[in-house]
Amino acid sequence: MISFTEENYLKALLRISFDSGETGVGTNELAMNLGVKPATANDMLKRLRDKALVDFEKYKKITLTIAGKKIATEVIRKHRLWETFLYEKLEFSWDEVHDVAEQLEHIQSTKLIDKLEKFLDYPAFDPHGDPIPSKGGELTKQFRKTLLDIPVGQLCKMVAVKDNSSAFLQYVVKVGLGINNEIYVQSRQEYDALMVIEVNGVASSVSEKFAENIYVV
Amino acid sequence: MISFTEENYLKALLRISFDSGETGVGTNELAMNLGVKPATANDMLKRLRDKALVDFEKYKKITLTIAGKKIATEVIRKHRLWETFLYEKLEFSWDEVHDVAEQLEHIQSTKLIDKLEKFLDYPAFDPHGDPIPSKGGELTKQFRKTLLDIPVGQLCKMVAVKDNSSAFLQYVVKVGLGINNEIYVQSRQEYDALMVIEVNGVASSVSEKFAENIYVV
DNA sequence: TAAATTTGTTAGGTTAATCTAACTTAATTA
DNA sequence: TAATTAAGTTAGATTAACCTAACAAATTTA
Ligand SMILES: [Mn+2]
Ligand SMILES: [Mn+2]
Ligand SMILES: [Mn+2]
Ligand SMILES: [Mn+2]
């Protein structure tokens, strides 16, 4: 049996390598991400290696094994299906779903998650625009552009957010933005990359940090 | 913060005192119920006492404090609402819901459970006929008759089951029984209390153990 | 009521998951 | 390349939740 904690480590490994675009993950990076000390992460990594869920040599980068990746993907699948349930069926707002899904993602029942998926009518994306892996499926690696990559004078469409924190998501709503909204890039400051964007006829200034957390096409 | 394990101990204490009709619960009884050793239960009870969730003196019976009872009732409320959700919305059968609800009952989110209750349209009973406490409500003590108490020649109606195990529930279905079915008691054996009952025109023999797990009115 | 049985507690030990402090190896920079 | 800094590991400690074995108190039975 796999523990909640082990699942969280595996999920973090998959997400970090996904976000960074690199295969291997560092111990400190992982520890930072999970809010534990490097020594703690190192202990757990040795246990996950004993269980053949991760691969790594002393002082080298960590990678998930096939088995480890499978578990991590299942946890992400559950997380995103639960977020969708909370958003679609229980009237949660998109900034509230993540924290509860962090708990729900660890419920062990294949039947539950398959029935939930059916109940939701096989959704492809969660409320933040992230793809939901299908049963037994992989997390497909897609190269997504952020709002930072859009040149001045161009129109784009928001498809997802990178940061899932409540603080950021509420800010996004305040700017009048949401999934599938069109964004027009009016101008950009050379000095600090501050952008002026227009959404539904309303102009707002957004920072570099903000822009890099908005995925667009 | 209260742990899963602590919640399970509190829930067990409430359920045992409920089932036995007595206020105090014994250490061995509790330990047996939770599938742990008395020494383990004793350790945990001391920790729950430190947190002011139970009351007991050395070598005496254990009772829940107001705070402990409140938590236990909330856990039962969550358990029964989740069972209802699985049964009503996700096409689970009544013998499958309990085990998954054992996990779901520990999810911490007041908003989640209140929204779930609304989504289910404020159900009064779970799939096994047990009452669902309302938000902030108590678990009302009701004296329920079992099929054992019904004399020969009398008609009654099944309203709930005591045993929630999959094995028992599947057996109940096999006998053609379900919540709200009418049962006619045809005969009873003096020697071993074996009963012949009639449900929807079909007669079956049921044991004493079976009969005491069927609540009727 | 004394003995036997049941019930409850204590002492001491294990494992998972965390920590701090000290150390080693790898990578960067001067 | 040598020194410095960053990254990763080890040692030793803590806490929750469990265990076994031994003991103490309460209850039942003879
Ligand atoms: Mn999320
Ligand atoms: Mn999680
Ligand atoms: Mn149940
Ligand atoms: Mn439980």
Side-chain angles (χ1 to χ4, degrees):
Chain A
M1 218 6 18
I2 188 149
S3 70
F4 281 28
T5 313
E6 288 170 326
E7 285 193 343
N8 282 337
Y9 275 81
L10 295 175
K11 189 178 72 144
L13 284 168
L14 185 58
R15 198 174 38 67
I16 293 168
S17 78
F18 206 81
D19 284 355
S20 69
E22 275 148 61
T23 326
V25 176
T27 304
N28 290 3
E29 201 179 359
L30 175 65
M32 169 97 76
N33 219 281
L34 288 165
V36 297
K37 293 297 148 83
T40 304
N42 190 251
D43 271 0
M44 175 59 92
L45 286 166
K46 283 190 272 187
R47 298 204 358 256
L48 291 173
R49 184 173 50 190
D50 289 346
K51 292 191 174 187
L53 298 172
V54 305
D55 265 335
F56 75 105
E57 281 167 72
K58 232 185 182 187
Y59 297 108
K60 299 285 176 60
K61 296 290 177 187
I62 309 135
T63 54
L64 287 166
T65 63
I66 303 288
K69 199 173 196 167
K70 185 157 172 285
I71 293 173
T73 307
E74 274 164 14
V75 175
I76 288 176
R77 167 173 153 80
K78 288 192 274 183
H79 182 100
R80 294 183 180 168
L81 281 169
W82 279 117
E83 284 191 343
T84 305
F85 169 71
L86 297 174
Y87 186 78
E88 298 286 337
K89 304 290 183 182
L90 298 195
E91 311 176 288
F92 273 62
S93 56
W94 78 335
D95 63 292
E96 294 170 319
V97 299
H98 181 78
D99 289 346
V100 182
E102 271 308 303
Q103 297 180 62
L104 287 162
E105 72 188 6
H106 302 292
I107 303 291
Q108 314 267 190
S109 167
T110 307
K111 174 155 192 171
L112 171 59
I113 206 66
D114 293 346
K115 287 287 190 180
L116 184 67
E117 184 182 31
K118 184 182 174 193
F119 183 62
L120 297 171
D121 203 15
Y122 303 94
F125 299 95
D126 78 8
H128 309 112
D130 290 314
I132 299 174
S134 58
K135 186 177 162 97
E138 289 251 329
L139 201 59
T140 46
K141 196 151 287 186
Q142 67 215 280
F143 294 96
R144 296 192 286 192
K145 269 195 246 181
T146 72
L147 186 51
L148 262 192
D149 304 318
I150 307 301
V152 172
Q154 200 171 308
L155 197 68
C156 60
K157 192 173 78 168
M158 171 169 164
V159 293
V161 287
K162 189 173 185 180
D163 184 351
N164 273 8
S165 75
S166 192
F168 175 67
L169 296 175
Q170 282 175 20
Y171 185 26
V172 171
V173 171
K174 214 167 150 192
V175 172
L177 258 175
I179 304 284
N180 289 326
N181 278 173
E182 298 214 315
I183 304 171
Y184 177 70
V185 180
Q186 280 191 351
S187 66
R188 189 191 314 261
Q189 207 64 33
E190 270 304 306
Y191 174 63
D192 56 6
L194 208 77
M195 298 171 76
V196 177
I197 59 171
E198 194 186 308
V199 184
N200 293 322
V202 181
S204 312
S205 287
V206 299
S207 69
E208 180 171 13
K209 190 178 167 192
F210 182 98
E212 75 187 3
N213 280 300
I214 303 283
Y215 287 120
V216 296
V217 289
Chain B
M1 218 5 21
I2 188 149
S3 71
F4 282 29
T5 312
E6 288 170 327
E7 285 193 343
N8 283 337
Y9 275 80
L10 295 176
K11 189 178 71 144
L13 285 168
L14 184 58
R15 198 175 37 67
I16 293 168
S17 77
F18 206 82
D19 284 357
S20 70
E22 275 148 62
T23 325
V25 176
T27 305
N28 289 3
E29 201 179 0
L30 175 64
M32 170 95 78
N33 218 281
L34 288 165
V36 299
K37 293 297 146 87
T40 303
N42 190 252
D43 270 1
M44 176 59 92
L45 286 166
K46 283 189 272 187
R47 295 202 3 251
L48 292 173
R49 185 173 49 189
D50 289 346
K51 291 190 174 187
L53 298 172
V54 305
D55 264 335
F56 74 105
E57 279 169 73
K58 233 185 181 187
Y59 296 108
K60 300 285 175 61
K61 297 290 179 187
I62 307 134
T63 54
L64 287 167
T65 63
I66 304 288
K69 199 174 197 168
K70 185 158 173 283
I71 292 173
T73 307
E74 275 165 13
V75 175
I76 288 176
R77 167 173 153 81
K78 288 192 275 182
H79 183 99
R80 294 183 180 167
L81 281 170
W82 279 117
E83 284 191 344
T84 306
F85 169 71
L86 297 174
Y87 186 77
E88 298 286 337
K89 303 291 183 181
L90 297 195
E91 310 177 289
F92 274 62
S93 56
W94 78 335
D95 62 292
E96 294 171 319
V97 300
H98 181 78
D99 289 345
V100 182
E102 271 307 302
Q103 297 180 61
L104 288 162
E105 72 189 5
H106 302 291
I107 303 290
Q108 314 266 192
S109 167
T110 308
K111 175 155 190 170
L112 171 59
I113 207 66
D114 293 346
K115 287 287 190 179
L116 184 68
E117 184 181 32
K118 184 182 174 193
F119 183 62
L120 297 171
D121 204 16
Y122 304 94
F125 298 95
D126 79 8
H128 309 112
D130 290 315
I132 300 174
S134 59
K135 186 177 162 97
E138 290 251 330
L139 202 57
T140 45
K141 195 151 287 184
Q142 64 215 283
F143 293 96
R144 297 192 286 192
K145 271 195 245 181
T146 72
L147 186 51
L148 263 191
D149 304 317
I150 307 300
V152 172
Q154 201 170 306
L155 197 68
C156 59
K157 192 172 78 167
M158 170 168 163
V159 293
V161 287
K162 189 172 185 180
D163 185 350
N164 272 8
S165 75
S166 191
F168 174 67
L169 296 175
Q170 281 175 21
Y171 185 25
V172 172
V173 170
K174 215 167 149 190
V175 172
L177 258 175
I179 304 285
N180 288 327
N181 278 174
E182 299 213 315
I183 305 172
Y184 177 70
V185 180
Q186 280 191 352
S187 66
R188 189 192 313 261
Q189 207 64 34
E190 270 303 308
Y191 175 63
D192 55 6
L194 207 76
M195 299 170 76
V196 178
I197 59 170
E198 195 186 306
V199 185
N200 293 321
V202 182
S204 312
S205 287
V206 299
S207 69
E208 181 171 12
K209 189 178 167 191
F210 183 97
E212 75 187 3
N213 279 301
I214 304 282
Y215 287 120
V216 296
V217 288

